[in-house]
Amino acid sequence: MNSAIDSAFASAASAGPDGTLPCSDAPLGPRETWPAPLRAIMDLMLGSRFPMFVAWGPALRVVYNDACAALLGERHPHAYGRPLAEVCTDEWAAVLPVASGALAGKSFLLENVQFSDGKQGGKGGGRPLYVTLSFSPVHDGERSAGVYCVLTDTTASVVAAQQHGFHLKLSAVLRELADPVEIMEAASSLMGRHFAVGRVGYGEIDAAGEVVSVERDWTDGSIASLAGETRPLDSFGPAIVEQLREGKVLRLDDIAADPRAAPYAAGYASIGARAMIVVPIIEGGRLAAIFYLHEPHPRHWSERETVLAEDVARHTREALRRARVEETLRDETRILEVLNRTGQALASTLDLNTLLQAITDAGTQLSGARFGAFFYNGVGEHGEVMQLYTLSGAAREDFAQLGAPRPTGLFNPTFHGQAALRSADITQDPRYGQAGPHHGMPAGHLTVRSYLAVPVVSRSGSVLGGLIFGHPEADVFTERTERIVAGVAAQAAVAMDNARLYEVAQKSALERDALLQSERMARVEAERMSRMKDEFLAMLAHELRNPLAPISSSASLLSIQFAEEPRIRQTSAIISRQVRHMSRLIDDLLDVSRVTRGLVTLQLGEVDFRDVVRSALDQTRPLIEEKRHRIEVALPPDPVRVCGDQTRLIQSVANILNNAAKYTPQGGAIAAELESDGQRLRLRVRDNGSGMPLELLPSVFELFTQGARTLARSQGGLGLGLALVKKLIELHGGSVAAHSPGVGKGSVFMIELPCLAAGEASAPAAAGGAGVHDPRVDAPDRKRRLRLIVVDDNEDAADSLATLLKAQGHAVMVEYTAMAALRRATGERPDAMLVDIGLPDMDGYQLAGLLRGQRETRHTVLVAATGYGQARDRARALEAGFAHHLVKPIDMAALLKILQTVVPAQEP
């Protein structure tokens, strides 16, 4: 460095006649003759690693050390010995007036001045560089002979502050958006403006991993938008695509110079890109999307630009996932409501025309079709085949002149019971237009491009008809749409089979003597169908509980987060009540199914029937108070001992009390009287309600029997409660009866059961049902938050439950597979885990066994949260290592009570 400085001074003074560096008006001479202040500063600079320079003499000639050379960029080494005015041009010009002020004897500090490092980079010709400069005068005797400057590179702190501000702005913007397209557009725009990039966008990869589609992007005008375009991935080179599929970020400073991309220059040229950063987004082990930054010219991407692009990509994906989960939840709620209404309609009528119209309307609404039709294969009086149809979304006049469907290549599969036919554009199907006389859609036919046809096939295999849906736009129906409509078709087949059976039963009643053998065969078939129905109800209950779980959790979360908002609190309460109502209906369906198939095992023990009546009253009291009924209860002073299952007995009495409260007008009177003669007990429940017609009394305890109701269905229910009471009381060796003087004159229900004789021992209570004891269950309540893991492959259920638990102050992690949950639990050692049983890679029972076998999770409290709620499911969960078993939708009060008993792990 010494020789360099000497050389610089010498070269700068080469114009002088004596070859020395001029200082003021006199030559400076050799180095050893320099002024002491200059030599001292030079020694300080050469021994320091901080960037420094000194500007000496009236011309302020510049000398600097190696550390300063790095900041000067391309100005080095030509700046040695040059006047400061020649060195500090363009962006460095701000230094000149400050240096002049320091030469006049003052000290100055310039903070975070932006320069360029001179290297290839952004559109300014170099990457941003931020420097703080401290100027001090250098005195030679009594006068200022030069300026001494120390430079500090503050780029890292300034950039960090800028990135932090950018992240805050991005989070604030995305938080307010709920539409996925708006989220993509906003993230791209913010990123593009922040880094001054030509184009930024978000592309999604199809399920086959072959094409990328861009819905929205942002450009600065120097490069064309790719919005609305779809391109094959292979056009960008296999090495590039493979890197992205491995989850590695792609950074290309110059596509033409990169050996992986250069052979595919045509593909890149077609999108106008010369330099790019591409961040892959991997979901479920596959490349699901990309977040990209494009430049039309070569650009050196910095490490911080790459890292920030990754952060923005992840943030955007999370925002998209949130928006789509909310969108899916809304869609699932809508579907559930439609299915619920359809199920009620199908269960409440056996009229074929009503059934067909309800089926057609439901299918049209669920599929998103513009119009739908149900073509029904029927048989007329003379054996001819008719095709009666119902329409939805279109006027009957639109089809009046078109006639019935002809046996063409497109219609035949549906009416012969083959697989469903779904087409994004039916006019492009090779079978379209092949049959005369129309060779396509006849004149006047509604425009159809998207087409979906699903056959309706009975359990016996006969084709009942076909559901056909159309839309004038292409690509409307998805695979999910097809599955939903197929489910509606299955429900339609059951309902239509039931309607047919009803018709057959009516005819059989008129022809009983002549058709005795046919009636017997029909009864056998009806019994077989009933068994299949019971099995179907058990699976249906499980499937319905899964969507109810996130709905219930979301409603609870709304009531917590918006406790001060009356409308939201009211809406949350409505949702919660309807979820509880559906849960009760599901439980009744399951109980009836299990009882009728003889699958109920009573947990027998000695029970005081007075306690049964009190507990049943507690369960029905909310309805009684809501309707402002007067309730009178008469219980004997001494215990009334029976051998029975207390839970099932309470359920039976509660159903009768609930029935009395439901069918008694506001402000009515209900009386419950229990008496015993030592041999048998009798419980009478009286009301002054709507009563029953005499013709209803013989069948009041049969399935699906209800009294007269209005079209408003104000009393609700499915007619299961009393049938369940009869079955359960009979299992206890008792009987149940009903009496009513007539409509409007009230009703009396009576339960009779055998009593335990004095000194007679009752059957021991069966084990199980209380949960496996955990050593930490009895620990006192602690006000410390728990570390929890929610495991459920239903992302809506897992995310909504996790959000609700977070609102309770707990630290919650979510996993959607058993293996991921096992890895997370081993590392995190949670206090408790809520585990779904039906997981995709292994079931919850296996996961519980693995967790119990590991030292890290041996003391974690395991709670089964599942749609399977029968006794054998509960017993199996306890055997597998679960401490508790909850049925979806989860009762949050019960869950929170369980969590209150969990002791957080001791901190180290």
Side-chain angles (χ1 to χ4, degrees):
M1 176 61 80
N2 291 344
S3 60
I5 293 175
D6 292 340
S7 174
F9 271 95
S11 62
S14 60
D18 55 1
T20 59
L21 178 68
C23 181
S24 185
D25 294 327
L28 185 60
R31 179 185 179 92
E32 58 271 14
T33 65
W34 290 357
L38 178 58
R39 290 199 307 271
I41 290 176
M42 293 301 298
D43 291 340
L44 174 64
M45 287 171 43
L46 296 176
S48 175
R49 294 184 180 181
F50 286 95
M52 302 178 182
F53 72 83
V54 63
W56 192 260
L60 294 178
R61 295 185 179 275
V62 178
V63 183
Y64 48 88
N65 60 5
D66 287 338
C68 187
L71 295 179
L72 290 173
E74 293 180 349
R75 289 174 173 78
H76 172 74
H78 305 291
Y80 276 127
R82 299 287 182 184
L84 188 62
E86 296 180 12
V87 176
C88 295
T89 58
D90 50 68
E91 59 187 3
W92 284 78
V95 172
L96 288 175
V98 180
S100 298
L103 186 62
K106 297 182 180 180
S107 296
F108 293 94
L109 182 69
L110 291 181
E111 293 185 310
N112 300 327
V113 181
Q114 182 178 351
F115 301 118
S116 171
D117 64 1
K119 299 178 181 179
Q120 183 185 13
K123 298 182 179 180
R127 291 174 295 185
L129 187 70
Y130 296 90
V131 180
T132 294
L133 303 95
S134 175
F135 291 89
S136 302
V138 181
H139 298 278
D140 185 10
E142 296 181 355
R143 66 186 182 89
S144 296
V147 176
Y148 169 60
C149 181
V150 178
L151 300 89
T152 303
D153 186 352
T154 58
T155 303
S157 60
V158 172
V159 170
Q162 291 175 345
Q163 291 188 188
H164 179 67
F166 173 77
H167 277 298
L168 292 177
K169 183 177 181 180
L170 178 68
S171 298
V173 170
L174 298 187
R175 190 183 306 116
E176 299 299 322
L177 299 178
D179 182 74
V181 174
E182 293 179 356
I183 289 172
M184 291 184 235
E185 198 166 23
S188 301
S189 173
L190 289 172
M191 188 67 178
R193 297 178 190 280
H194 182 70
F195 274 147
V197 181
R199 179 172 60 215
V200 180
Y202 186 93
E204 296 195 307
I205 314 298
D206 69 323
E210 296 178 352
V211 297
V212 55
S213 302
V214 178
E215 193 160 0
R216 289 287 192 278
D217 64 3
W218 176 89
T219 76
D220 65 353
S222 66
I223 187 170
S225 170
L226 297 178
E229 294 194 19
T230 298
R231 293 177 178 266
L233 282 176
D234 290 344
S235 63
F236 302 107
I240 298 295
V241 175
E242 184 61 27
Q243 178 175 338
L244 294 175
R245 284 176 174 154
E246 291 175 356
K248 300 177 181 177
V249 177
L250 174 68
R251 184 170 69 185
L252 297 176
D253 294 347
D254 188 349
I255 291 171
D258 191 290
R260 300 168 298 174
Y264 299 88
Y268 294 98
S270 68
I271 61 174
R274 186 67 182 275
M276 63 174 59
I277 293 178
V278 182
V279 180
I281 297 173
I282 307 297
E283 289 187 354
R286 74 172 187 89
L287 179 63
I290 57 173
F291 185 73
Y292 59 83
L293 287 70
H294 290 171
E295 277 283 22
H297 306 292
R299 171 169 177 165
H300 175 74
W301 303 101
S302 67
E303 185 64 27
R304 70 181 182 84
E305 290 173 323
T306 305
V307 171
L308 184 58
E310 291 185 78
D311 291 342
V312 174
R314 284 192 293 269
H315 203 148
T316 303
R317 190 61 178 180
E318 289 302 318
L320 287 173
R321 184 180 292 111
R322 167 185 56 78
R324 284 170 176 160
V325 164
E326 293 173 354
E327 187 176 58
T328 301
L329 180 59
R330 291 191 296 270
D331 188 44
E332 292 296 337
T333 302
R334 179 186 64 85
I335 291 174
L336 183 62
E337 291 173 350
V338 174
L339 290 175
N340 183 37
R341 290 197 302 269
T342 305
Q344 290 179 348
L346 298 183
S348 63
T349 182
L350 290 172
D351 179 71
L352 189 59
N353 290 331
T354 304
L355 286 174
L356 296 181
Q357 190 62 57
I359 292 164
T360 308
D361 291 343
T364 305
Q365 186 174 355
L366 290 171
S367 66
R370 183 66 57 84
F371 56 85
F374 190 108
F375 290 88
Y376 170 61
N377 290 332
V379 180
E381 295 181 358
H382 303 290
E384 74 277 12
V385 175
M386 301 182 298
Q387 292 188 328
L388 310 173
Y389 58 85
T390 55
L391 288 171
S392 182
R396 187 170 291 275
E397 297 78 43
D398 296 331
F399 286 82
Q401 306 301 323
L402 301 180
R406 294 172 295 109
T408 64
L410 287 176
F411 284 127
N412 263 339
T414 302
F415 293 106
H416 284 80
Q418 299 176 17
L421 176 60
R422 174 169 54 90
S423 175
D425 189 347
I426 197 63
T427 62
Q428 303 302 314
D429 191 290
R431 294 167 289 185
Y432 178 80
Q434 296 299 310
H438 304 293
H439 295 285
M441 297 177 195
H445 196 289
L446 297 174
T447 303
V448 178
R449 293 187 66 191
S450 293
Y451 178 83
L452 176 61
V454 179
V456 179
V457 183
S458 73
R459 294 186 180 91
S460 64
S462 62
V463 180
L464 302 178
L467 283 164
I468 298 177
F469 305 97
H471 199 285
E473 298 177 5
D475 205 21
V476 170
F477 306 130
T478 64
E479 182 180 355
R480 179 172 178 269
T481 305
E482 182 180 329
R483 291 198 303 270
I484 293 173
V485 173
V488 173
Q491 284 188 329
V494 173
M496 293 173 67
D497 275 342
N498 290 338
R500 281 185 162 187
L501 289 174
Y502 176 71
E503 184 179 357
V504 168
Q506 284 185 319
K507 290 181 179 179
S508 296
L510 298 175
E511 304 170 0
R512 182 177 296 108
D513 294 337
L515 302 175
L516 182 60
Q517 185 62 29
S518 298
E519 181 183 356
R520 185 179 298 115
M521 295 177 61
R523 186 182 302 114
V524 171
E525 177 66 9
E527 290 173 355
R528 185 182 69 85
M529 293 179 65
S530 179
R531 288 194 301 270
M532 294 180 66
K533 178 193 67 178
D534 291 338
E535 294 170 0
F536 168 77
L537 288 177
M539 181 56 67
L540 177 64
H542 169 260
E543 293 301 321
L544 288 177
R545 279 184 174 134
N546 273 331
L548 286 179
I551 295 173
S552 178
S553 298
S554 299
S556 299
L557 183 62
L558 283 174
S559 66
I560 293 172
Q561 291 187 338
F562 299 94
E564 303 302 322
E565 294 289 338
R567 292 182 63 185
I568 296 180
R569 189 170 63 250
Q570 180 185 15
T571 301
S572 174
I574 292 172
I575 296 173
S576 298
R577 283 197 301 271
Q578 295 307 312
V579 167
R580 289 194 297 272
H581 179 63
M582 287 199 68
S583 298
R584 287 194 297 270
L585 291 179
I586 293 170
D587 290 338
D588 282 350
L589 284 171
L590 277 177
D591 280 337
V592 168
S593 173
R594 295 175 63 226
V595 169
T596 54
R597 286 184 290 148
L599 299 181
V600 170
T601 301
L602 298 180
Q603 310 295 313
L604 298 176
E606 182 176 327
V607 178
D608 185 349
F609 206 82
R610 298 179 305 170
D611 295 335
V612 171
V613 176
R614 295 187 186 104
S615 297
L617 281 170
D618 289 340
Q619 289 189 13
T620 56
R621 195 171 302 279
L623 178 59
I624 293 173
E625 292 177 352
E626 178 184 345
K627 302 193 71 171
R628 299 192 299 276
H629 294 324
R630 301 185 307 278
I631 180 72
E632 296 180 5
V633 181
L635 301 177
D638 298 322
V640 180
R641 299 164 58 243
V642 297
C643 177
D645 185 328
Q646 183 165 357
T647 299
R648 292 300 187 178
L649 291 174
I650 293 172
Q651 180 182 6
S652 301
V653 176
N655 273 350
I656 289 181
L657 288 170
N658 187 71
N659 193 73
K662 185 192 303 183
Y663 289 100
T664 299
Q666 293 271 356
I670 300 173
E673 179 184 7
L674 176 64
E675 61 182 23
S676 172
D677 59 4
Q679 300 296 322
R680 298 183 71 81
L681 68 82
R682 283 171 292 279
L683 173 67
R684 291 184 179 86
V685 177
R686 305 174 183 271
D687 64 71
N688 61 350
S690 58
M692 292 176 285
L694 296 179
E695 63 269 21
L696 181 64
L697 287 175
S699 59
V700 71
F701 292 103
E702 294 179 4
L703 280 174
F704 309 116
T705 298
Q706 289 182 304
R709 67 178 89 177
T710 66
L711 291 176
R713 295 179 55 88
S714 61
Q715 306 304 332
L718 297 175
L720 302 175
L722 294 180
L724 188 58
V725 171
K726 182 175 185 293
K727 295 292 185 181
L728 291 175
I729 294 301
E730 288 177 349
L731 286 176
H732 283 81
S735 62
V736 61
H739 173 71
S740 175
V743 175
K745 298 180 180 180
S747 303
V748 180
F749 287 83
M750 184 171 70
I751 292 176
E752 284 194 16
L753 285 171
C755 296
L756 281 174
E760 181 181 356
S762 64
V772 176
H773 179 71
D774 184 270
R776 296 188 291 173
V777 167
D778 297 326
D781 187 22
R782 305 281 182 89
K783 297 300 183 180
R784 298 177 60 190
R785 70 174 188 169
L786 301 175
R787 293 169 57 79
L788 306 176
I789 295 180
V790 176
V791 188
D792 198 327
D793 61 327
N794 184 324
E795 296 186 12
D796 290 349
D799 294 342
S800 59
L801 179 57
T803 304
L804 185 55
L805 290 172
K806 289 177 182 176
Q808 296 292 331
H810 299 299
V812 186
M813 296 155 279
V814 176
E815 295 295 345
Y816 307 117
T817 64
M819 291 306 300
L822 183 61
R823 289 192 296 270
R824 175 67 70 92
T826 303
E828 299 290 345
R829 299 189 180 190
D831 301 305
M833 294 178 65
L834 284 79
V835 181
D836 184 29
I837 298 300
L839 296 173
D841 45 352
M842 71 173 73
D843 62 38
Y845 304 128
Q846 295 171 302
L847 176 59
L850 294 175
L851 290 169
R852 282 288 172 255
Q854 296 194 67
R855 180 175 57 84
E856 295 85 354
T857 55
R858 189 172 302 155
H859 298 296
T860 297
V861 177
L862 301 183
V863 181
T866 174
Y868 297 100
Q870 300 188 30
R872 63 174 180 269
D873 302 320
R874 184 182 303 274
R876 187 177 178 187
L878 300 179
E879 292 171 1
F882 287 96
H884 304 278
H885 181 278
L886 297 177
V887 177
K888 295 179 180 178
I890 292 175
D891 183 348
M892 284 306 300
L895 176 56
L896 294 178
K897 185 175 181 181
I898 290 172
L899 294 180
Q900 287 174 359
T901 67
V902 177
V903 178
Q906 295 297 320
E907 297 180 358

